[in-house]
Amino acid sequence: MYKGVVFFDLDGTLFDDDKNVSQQNIDAIQELKRNQILPIISTGRNIFEINYVLDSTKINSIVSANGSYVQYEGKKLDAEVIPQNVIEDLLEFAHRQRDVVAFYNHEELALTANNDLTDENYRILRLHTKVDPKWYLTHDVNFMCVFNYDKDKRYQDKFAGELSLVRNNPRCMDTMNWGVSKQTGIQTLMKRAGLQGVPSYAFGDQLNDLQMFAEVDHPIAMGNGHDKAKAAAEFVTDTNMDGGIVKGLRHYGLIK
């Protein structure tokens, strides 16, 4: 049914610097659809954070929370749940590090506490937050964030085999069940939606896009992207503020 599939990261990619999707990018997405090419959001964000994006672009397929929650044409395909005992081990370790943890599912989030890092992070994301350290006891947790600047290896070594932690931005690490990533989310979507063998493309800019790049046929890095993302890409386009999405789509002949 589809001639191709294009996965779009959001922050630093489909988004401009004000966290909006430009009219130019919306028009490009509509042209993709007319050309029988399926646009899919692939993001570290959770669905409740980006409903305004889904509304403006009319995209209803998404690999969210770095592969922890997958939806195809408006219907849930898969949702990871982090075990409570693993969450409690992480909370104990984070408490010793004096780090705040955020719990997420596809509908909402809660924090163990507020601090300068969380205040800055959610101000940039334009999200309201609540503090509820016991939220995980009454809700399924698909995804977490751990807030610190430079403790990646400390956490990764401690929770190897239980949790995958990857830095999303300077303030926090995305935290998923072990082995879960945008790549596994894409694998789930492509298989269960019957899209195997359809040519695949992906736009991204950061370290959490590397596994997505490894999964698709044609990885495309933004000009504003991390050096490692650019090195892993087949094509480096312009920046998110300078028509990078449109240039990349035109480069592959997906739009005119």
Side-chain angles (χ1 to χ4, degrees), residues 87-106:
I87 294 173
E88 289 171 348
D89 288 346
L90 178 73
L91 292 176
E92 181 182 356
F93 188 75
H95 179 72
R96 294 202 302 269
Q97 312 302 315
R98 299 183 178 179
D99 292 340
V100 172
V101 175
F103 313 113
Y104 290 80
N105 60 27
H106 69 289

Side-chain angles (χ1 to χ4, degrees), residues 197-247:
V198 175
S200 57
Y201 307 78
F203 288 81
D205 71 311
Q206 287 299 324
L207 298 177
N208 66 341
D209 295 317
L210 294 178
Q211 288 182 308
M212 173 174 71
F213 279 6
E215 185 63 24
V216 300
D217 300 319
H218 305 287
I220 304 151
M222 305 303 291
N224 51 286
H226 194 286
D227 287 345
K228 289 185 178 179
K230 292 178 181 178
E234 180 179 84
F235 178 69
V236 178
T237 187
D238 288 342
T239 72
N240 64 317
M241 295 295 289
D242 194 31
I245 295 295
V246 168
K247 179 179 178 180

Side-chain angles (χ1 to χ4, degrees), residues 5 19 29 62 102 114 126 130 147-148 151 191 253:
V5 177
K19 309 299 181 185
I29 288 166
I62 179 170
N114 286 316
R126 301 186 298 190
K130 65 180 178 182
F147 287 86
N148 58 58
K151 302 174 186 174
K191 180 178 180 180

Side-chain angles (χ1 to χ4, degrees), residues 68-154:
S68 296
Y69 191 94
V70 180
Q71 173 179 299
Y72 176 63
E73 295 186 342
K75 297 180 180 179
K76 181 180 78 172
L77 290 184
D78 188 56
E80 293 285 330
V81 177
I82 301 175
Q84 283 191 6
N85 66 303
V86 175
I87 294 173
E88 289 171 348
D89 288 346
L90 178 73
L91 292 176
E92 181 182 356
F93 188 75
H95 179 72
R96 294 202 302 269
Q97 312 302 315
R98 299 183 178 179
D99 292 340
V100 172
V101 175
F103 313 113
Y104 290 80
N105 60 27
H106 69 289
E107 295 179 323
E108 59 179 322
L109 73 93
L111 296 168
T112 57
N114 286 316
N115 64 12
D116 290 345
L117 292 182
T118 63
D119 289 346
E120 181 182 4
N121 192 71
Y122 294 110
R123 176 186 59 77
I124 292 170
L125 296 179
R126 301 186 298 190
L127 290 175
H128 297 292
T129 60
K130 65 180 178 182
V131 173
D132 183 355
K134 300 296 185 181
W135 187 86
Y136 72 95
L137 295 174
T138 55
H139 298 78
D140 284 345
V141 177
N142 308 133
F143 174 88
M144 296 184 288
C145 281
V146 180
F147 287 86
N148 58 58
Y149 282 123
D150 57 2
K151 302 174 186 174
D152 303 45
K153 190 173 188 303
R154 192 179 306 178

